[in-house]
Amino acid sequence: MVTSNFVGLYFPWPVYSAGSRRECCNSSLGFIILFGGHVSCRLSVSSECRAGSLAASAVGLILELNCALPKTAILAKISNLKKSTKMLHRAALSSCVGTSARCLLARVRSTASSNLLHFPGSTHQTARHWSNIPFITVPHMRSHGKPFAHRSELKHAKRIVVKLGSAVVTRGDECGLALGRLASIVEQVSVLQNQGREMMIVTSGAVAFGKQRLRHEILLSQSVRQALHSGQNQLKDMQVPVLEARACAAAGQSGLMALYEAMFTQYSICAAQILVTNLDFHDEQKRRNLNGTLHELLRMNIVPIINTNDAVVPPPEPNSDLQGVNVISIKDNDSLAARLAVEMKADLIIVLSDVEGLFDSPPGSDDAKLIDIFYPGDQQSVTFGTKSRVGMGGMEAKVKAALWALQGGTSVVIANGTHPKISGHVITDIVEGKKVGTFFSEVKPAGPTVEQQAEMARTGGRSLATLLPEQRAEIIFHLADLLTDHREEILSANKKDMDEAEDKGRLAAPLLKRLSLSTAKLNSLSIGLRQIAASSQDSVGRVLRRTRIAKDLELEEVTVPIGVLLVIFESRPDCLPQVSALAIASGNGLLLKGGKEAANTNQILYRLTQEALSLHGVRDAVQLVNTREEVEDLCRLNKLIDLIIPRGSSQLVRDIQKAAKGIPVMGHSEGICHVYVDSDASVDKVTRIVRDSKCEYPAACNAMETLLIHRDILRTPLFDQIIDMLRVEQVKIHAGPRFASYLTFSPSEVKSLRTEYGDLECCLEVVDGVQDAIEHIHKYGSSHTDAIITENEQTAEYFLQHVDSACVFWNTSTRFSDGYRFGLGAEVGISTARIHARGPVGIEGLLTTKWILRGENHVVSDFSEQGSKKYLHEKLPVPQTSSS
């Protein structure tokens, strides 16, 4: 007879090779039987696996017995368990150290000190606690002391407390629980728990759940009594008496915990309930007991669910909280979460409420702004409003508790747990470091926040727009001169970026080409900036239309800047002065976010831009974002940014288009450009245009990616010349389906006809004629740039009129699709959108319009049927402006 609480673990998973995680044998670890005083272990491992590289991928399910059973009975139960268990805990992979294999063993806790674990050849040791099972995704436990300084570090949080406010847990009628929100929260907590983190929940909701149950019982009781006394008479209106909160808490605790257990069970996670009061923290023995219990539950991979014992909780002691790191009165679940987090040395508290975070004034007020990062000492800049509709605390209580926890070494984020669009991923987003809610930090950044930079850019942009056209042009001319004067310094910084990129080997060849600057590039850049300056004289404030509405009532439509532009670019530092010049010429504020691979080059180019802007005191108009802001977070600043322009890979553009929240995105996700060689094409023109379109700069978005050949050209000298030229230029050809069908031995067949190679590669496909070519372009193209090579003017005009792309060319290279080559000076990008701007976007694409109406005491009622005035709607001549 053997008595033991935990007697068995079954490991049905195969053995894996460390590092590669490939299955190297079909043998399972068998099962490990643990008895109070003896361990029986059977391990089956293939001889092909070296002992020094073994790793066990194992999942354990604990069979708990509370009575004495003979060994045969225990084995029988494990055998049954083995057959029936389908939902198992997350697999754990144990790596090996040195040359000896380490098997993943059970974590065992014995209830009696005499229960010993005995391994053959080892001494007896008392098993008093469970040891940690290592998981693949477990963050390393960090030394507790200082909270995280930046959001990006939150992904390293190992021990996390999630505090659920009453407004999050309860329904809007304050009677019953918000089951949908709770289920979503439990799912997110389970995901993080199964990543190997240690999750704890401090929850409200017992009072609301109890109120629902008690109301139901009272109504049911009253209806029965009234039915007995009133006979067939209609029941009187029943009124529910005011329910005492402590009674509601007593009635609701068990149901609330049962609900949590049922939800966590769906994810094979066990939960445990702990009820505490303020007195539990004042008694040293109780504090130690609570601490030990929580640590024990966390070791056993159990999620503790903690709540104040509202059924017996005494009123809070006056003026007893926030007296130091070691003292905080448990007045509500906010202070409880803070106290527990510090006691347990948690890395992070996530406080979920019914507001987006901490505002500088009460949410809903006109000037209220969400505070992204809150620092100790900022309390004076915040005006607190009333408490939430339910619960004991309010935002002021949350801030006090958060600052107390921050002082104790625990990071804090306050966020909205009720918003239907974000509540389903708010917890995981916070842990991933995304900009959600208000993050409490002790480390203030050296410079302004990105929100402050956006505000500065808007204010600076408005000042820029009020300058005279000659003054804006003077700034751009000065910037062009600075690029020439500081050429060596710029190239030196760029060489440093190039060397670092090549050493790390993380950039693809096309991105390396875009990162590189040269003297020729800087000269072209300077020339382009001078073109922008010359063409900017009549950009802002230009009158487009004049109309006389009535006598002495004239209307004008004039050009104005869009507002604040966010330009996100990767690997191309020359983009910074180009876009800055266009923003200056159009009077727009500008936020720039460059890739870290060009950090050194971007920094010096930005410094020169600031120097040029200082010429007329508008240096704030252009801002370079140097903080740790993620692109996705920048795309959510819909109240500060008016237009996003991505410059980079198709993946970058797609990611930004997906992440942008309420902000229009100008750009193209892909540059799948076509060149169609017609049957009437000139032999001399074809090879020159095709070579230039593909080989002049294959990484550019306007480079040819698909070559369409008229079927009559196949097996002709012209076709042979095209193939020979591509072979000489070392262009890899991918055969389209129709082209491959003509060949006995074809090149590698294309995987997709919608591929942007960005390198010396292209697809070659055969079409029946111009109509077939147009249909192919519309089906597989990206509406960027497409060209036809032909001597037949009628065919060319048909192609130009019917191809629905931003740029359509006849007998020219696709590489002409560029703002500089179009005479725009430069471009912020090439847009394939259908509205506002299309093709290379220069100054005109960065302007919008406003209407100006000038009158003399005019009112609409004068133009009614009984009025004395009539509409004229006469078109007036537009004043002509001359560009210098």
Side-chain angles (χ1 to χ4, degrees), residues 109-126:
R109 182 176 69 86
S110 174
T111 55
S113 60
S114 60
N115 288 348
L116 303 176
L117 294 180
H118 173 69
F119 294 87
S122 68
T123 58
H124 288 229
Q125 295 181 353
T126 304

Side-chain angles (χ1 to χ4, degrees), residues 491-507:
L491 294 177
S492 176
N494 184 247
K495 184 179 184 304
K496 186 176 180 181
D497 286 328
M498 288 291 295
D499 291 343
E500 290 179 1
E502 290 173 353
D503 290 343
K504 293 178 181 178
R506 295 177 182 175
L507 284 185

Side-chain angles (χ1 to χ4, degrees), residues 776-794:
H776 179 103
I777 291 169
H778 288 166
K779 186 174 183 179
Y780 300 110
S782 61
S783 301
H784 192 294
T785 302
D786 300 290
I788 182 173
I789 306 175
T790 184
E791 297 304 303
N792 189 316
E793 184 176 354
Q794 184 177 358

Side-chain angles (χ1 to χ4, degrees), residues 590-606:
L590 178 63
L591 274 181
L592 293 161
K593 175 66 173 176
K596 59 184 178 182
E597 65 280 352
N600 296 295
T601 315
N602 287 340
Q603 199 59 50
I604 185 172
L605 291 173
Y606 175 63

Side-chain angles (χ1 to χ4, degrees), residues 616-850:
H616 290 289
V618 288
R619 60 182 297 129
D620 286 348
V622 177
Q623 299 286 326
L624 179 64
V625 179
N626 285 319
T627 60
R628 301 188 181 194
E629 302 296 328
E630 297 292 337
V631 169
E632 186 175 345
D633 293 330
L634 291 173
C635 293
R636 293 175 178 172
L637 301 177
N638 59 316
K639 294 183 180 179
L640 300 172
I641 295 170
D642 300 299
L643 179 66
I644 301 175
I645 305 174
R647 296 290 306 273
S649 65
S650 58
Q651 186 60 49
L652 172 71
V653 179
R654 284 194 295 268
D655 290 343
I656 290 173
Q657 289 173 334
K658 182 179 179 181
K661 305 296 182 183
I663 310 175
V665 178
M666 179 188 291
H668 63 280
S669 59
E670 292 173 308
I672 304 175
C673 303
H674 297 76
V675 173
Y676 165 55
V677 181
D678 187 51
S679 58
D680 296 324
S682 165
V683 174
D684 296 333
K685 293 177 183 177
V686 169
T687 52
R688 276 174 50 83
I689 293 173
V690 172
R691 178 190 290 110
D692 189 80
S693 295
K694 178 72 257 185
C695 307
E696 199 268 340
Y697 187 23
C701 64
N702 56 13
M704 181 195 76
E705 304 294 1
T706 299
L707 178 62
L708 300 177
I709 302 289
H710 193 289
R711 65 179 181 181
D712 293 346
I713 296 178
L714 289 176
R715 300 186 178 90
T716 66
L718 174 58
F719 179 76
D720 293 338
Q721 289 182 34
I722 295 172
I723 298 300
D724 290 341
M725 180 272 297
L726 293 175
R727 184 180 296 112
V728 169
E729 297 291 341
Q730 297 182 337
V731 177
K732 183 178 180 180
I733 298 174
H734 301 274
R738 288 194 62 185
F739 179 50
S741 67
Y742 285 96
L743 305 174
T744 306
F745 300 101
S746 69
S748 61
E749 191 166 342
V750 68
K751 295 180 180 178
S752 171
L753 292 168
R754 290 192 181 95
T755 301
E756 182 180 12
Y757 298 100
D759 208 345
L760 287 173
E761 299 179 64
C762 74
C763 168
L764 197 155
E765 182 60 309
V766 175
V767 293
D768 293 331
V770 65
Q771 184 60 42
D772 195 18
I774 293 171
E775 291 176 359
H776 179 103
I777 291 169
H778 288 166
K779 186 174 183 179
Y780 300 110
S782 61
S783 301
H784 192 294
T785 302
D786 300 290
I788 182 173
I789 306 175
T790 184
E791 297 304 303
N792 189 316
E793 184 176 354
Q794 184 177 358
T795 301
E797 287 299 327
Y798 185 86
F799 184 89
L800 296 175
Q801 297 302 320
H802 286 79
V803 171
D804 188 16
S805 295
C807 301
V808 188
F809 299 162
W810 173 23
N811 285 348
T812 62
S813 166
T814 58
R815 293 278 291 120
F816 278 104
S817 180
D818 176 81
Y820 171 73
R821 298 182 180 100
F822 277 14
L824 304 178
E827 66 187 28
V828 293
I830 296 180
S831 173
T832 56
R834 306 279 172 179
I835 58 175
H836 184 64
R838 201 172 187 209
V841 181
I843 299 175
E844 297 295 328
L846 300 181
L847 297 172
T848 184
T849 62
K850 72 176 180 181

Side-chain angles (χ1 to χ4, degrees), residues 5 21 81 88 146 159 203 205 239 256 289 306 312 315 354 411 553 602 610 615 644 653-654 671 727 772 776:
N5 268 31
R21 299 182 65 180
L81 182 67
L88 296 171
K146 289 187 177 181
R159 184 170 291 170
T203 182
Q239 293 185 349
L256 178 64
N289 291 344
I306 306 115
V312 299
D354 57 352
S411 298
L553 184 64
N602 287 340
Q610 292 280 286
L615 196 64
I644 301 175
V653 179
R654 284 194 295 268
R727 184 180 296 112
D772 195 18
H776 179 103

